[in-house]
Amino acid sequence: MAIGRSSLPLSSQQKKTVLASFLGWTLDAFDFFLLTFLLTDIAKEFSVGVPDVSEALFFTLATRFIGAFIFGRLADRFGRKPILMLNIVSYSVLGALAAFSPNLITFLILRAIFGIAMGGEWGLGSSLAMESIPPNARGMVSGLLQAGYPAGYLLAAIVYGLLYGQSIAGHEVGWRAMFLLSFLPALVVLFIRSHVPESPAFTEAKDQVKPGLLETLERHWRVALYAVVLMMFFNFFSHGTQDLYPTFLKKQHGFDAHTVSWITIVANLGAISGGLLFGALSERIGRVNAITIACLIALPTLSLWAYSTTPVMLAIGAFVMQISVQGAWGVIPVHLNELSPGSVRATLPGFIYQAGNLAASYGGPYQAKIAEAPGNSYGYALALFAGVVAVCIIVVIRFSPERRGQVMTVLE
């Protein structure tokens, strides 16, 4: 979607800042979701089961809060822009190193370290963008930024469908070659270095004394704790509907790579649409109401999404489900940044987000075990997670503070 004058009142520099933040999150997600298409192939090569390889999803999610804290603190001290560049290079290199894993243990360790690097990007990119734009543009930009996540999934699906199993220069493209594509995000750093300015809020306050993280948390611990619980449910919602969906299509329905790819593409087109729609809607009806409506859409969609039998019906179900999931998520970047004190805005939203990821990190392996238990199925495991978590989010979000449109500084 173009960032044009008619939809967003942004200057040229602000548009470049939003674009850089969007690309950073998109390619971060691309690196993560490559794994979801390759679980069965890695399991076959290492002679283990899919639940064993899905532990990589757990380790990646479980370590992200470490990166959110480390890179966030660096950004609150040295600036959003330079640390965002460092972060993107880090996750690019670590993502690509997985291609050289000689065994499952090494692969799991590399994905855990990759998770640390991945954990930093969201907080850095969202704080840089939200501090650089007018308040009335935050809802739309929030939806656009969060749409970067399904856009990365979409890109992974396209690349998987086009390249996996193909012969290039006499060599078949396997799972190891796919991970080498993780080097691509490093190219975004060149764009950021040349075209993206530092956050105005950070620049104005960089020489002033700001309260530390512990002092800030003592003053705002109730909001921080609440937000971690909220993000736990949100991460169950997204990863519970996305990470095992390609495996569900391959193992339960026996679809080939091409069919899995296009169904996943359709799902992520729905996700991008949902993020943009509900991000913009949140400027009119509020963050809490927009999230509530998005989650309600998931409930009547469960049967179509998890229990359809044809590719077309599954694709329709996936499209609507991801409108719901990423519609709710589209409000989160602006909502967490508005809830967070400015002195720790590069640290706290990302840390809260990734702490919620840590709490939800075993969802993937747990879903896989439920799915492969006697009498169960991947469809059952997916529907169980999505339905329960959607209801939990609807209940919990109604207790959230609403701070739509507040002025953002770094001295709060």
Side-chain angles (χ1 to χ4, degrees):
M1 176 177 177
I3 306 173
R5 184 181 299 274
S6 61
S7 58
L8 293 178
L10 304 181
S11 67
S12 175
Q13 280 196 331
Q14 288 170 336
K15 291 175 183 177
K16 290 175 181 177
T17 299
V18 173
L19 177 61
S21 299
F22 172 81
L23 289 176
W25 191 221
T26 296
L27 294 172
D28 197 344
F30 169 77
D31 282 2
F32 175 80
F33 280 112
L34 278 176
L35 173 59
T36 67
F37 291 93
L38 304 169
L39 290 172
T40 55
D41 306 278
I42 298 170
K44 182 178 180 180
E45 176 160 338
F46 293 146
S47 300
V48 296
V50 170
D52 297 310
V53 181
S54 70
E55 295 284 345
L57 299 172
F58 159 67
F59 286 118
T60 301
L61 298 178
T63 57
R64 278 164 61 166
F65 83 101
I66 301 173
F69 179 80
I70 293 173
F71 287 102
R73 294 308 292 156
L74 289 173
D76 279 326
R77 181 174 181 182
F78 299 108
R80 298 11 176 171
K81 175 181 174 178
I83 305 305
L84 179 61
M85 293 166 58
L86 172 65
N87 182 243
I88 291 173
V89 170
S90 298
Y91 77 66
S92 297
V93 172
L94 289 165
L97 286 177
F100 304 99
S101 302
N103 51 53
L104 180 60
I105 296 298
T106 303
F107 181 79
L108 295 177
I109 291 172
L110 286 171
R111 294 306 287 182
I113 301 173
F114 166 77
I116 295 175
M118 184 182 183
E121 203 287 333
W122 188 91
L124 303 183
S126 64
S127 62
L128 176 60
M130 293 300 160
E131 290 175 352
S132 301
I133 61 174
N136 65 346
R138 287 183 198 151
M140 177 61 80
V141 170
S142 177
L144 179 63
L145 292 183
Q146 197 59 38
Y149 198 67
Y153 197 174
L154 173 64
L155 182 59
I158 292 172
V159 170
Y160 176 74
L162 290 176
L163 295 183
Y164 191 77
Q166 301 299 311
S167 179
I168 298 179
H171 298 280
E172 182 177 312
V173 177
W175 70 266
R176 294 181 186 275
M178 296 293 288
F179 277 114
L180 290 177
L181 296 173
S182 296
F183 277 123
L184 293 177
L187 299 176
V188 177
V189 170
L190 301 177
F191 175 79
I192 295 174
R193 179 179 174 83
S194 301
H195 299 287
V196 177
E198 180 56 87
S199 156
F202 177 84
T203 301
E204 290 173 9
K206 67 179 181 180
D207 296 324
Q208 301 182 41
V209 177
K210 299 181 284 291
L213 177 63
L214 291 180
E215 179 185 347
T216 303
L217 286 176
E218 286 178 2
R219 291 168 50 197
H220 302 277
W221 69 269
R222 291 181 179 85
V223 170
L225 181 60
Y226 166 81
V228 169
V229 174
L230 179 66
M231 295 316 298
M232 176 187 70
F233 288 123
F234 261 87
N235 281 292
F236 273 133
F237 201 29
S238 59
H239 292 287
T241 59
Q242 294 169 336
D243 294 2
L244 291 180
Y245 205 69
T247 302
F248 158 69
L249 296 174
K250 287 193 287 185
K251 290 201 70 173
Q252 189 162 320
H253 292 281
F255 296 147
D256 59 20
H258 174 75
T259 304
V260 171
S261 173
W262 77 255
I263 292 175
T264 309
I265 289 170
V266 170
N268 283 287
L269 291 174
I272 293 168
S273 301
L276 295 174
L277 172 62
F278 281 93
L281 185 63
S282 74
E283 284 297 335
R284 297 189 177 187
I285 67 173
R287 317 306 186 201
V288 171
N289 288 336
I291 289 171
T292 301
I293 293 171
C295 290
L296 284 170
I297 294 172
L299 300 178
T301 309
L302 291 172
S303 178
L304 181 64
W305 171 67
Y307 290 104
S308 294
T309 56
T310 66
V312 171
M313 296 306 292
L314 285 165
I316 293 172
F319 182 85
V320 179
M321 178 58 74
Q322 291 306 318
I323 285 179
S324 169
V325 173
Q326 291 303 322
W329 265 104
V331 187
I332 287 299
V334 62
H335 190 49
L336 287 189
N337 274 272
E338 287 174 338
L339 291 180
S340 296
S343 60
V344 291
R345 189 169 290 119
T347 304
L348 198 58
F351 183 77
I352 286 170
Y353 176 3
Q354 305 302 356
N357 245 326
L358 173 63
S361 59
Y362 203 70
Y366 185 60
Q367 268 186 303
K369 289 176 181 178
I370 292 175
E372 299 204 353
N376 292 337
S377 67
Y378 276 89
Y380 168 77
L382 290 166
L384 177 66
F385 260 63
V388 170
V389 173
V391 172
C392 290
I393 293 175
I394 292 168
V395 172
V396 173
I397 194 61
R398 303 313 301 178
F399 294 93
S400 176
E402 176 76 54
R403 295 178 184 168
R404 174 176 33 145
Q406 74 167 25
V407 176
M408 286 188 181
T409 73
V410 297
L411 295 177
E412 302 160 59

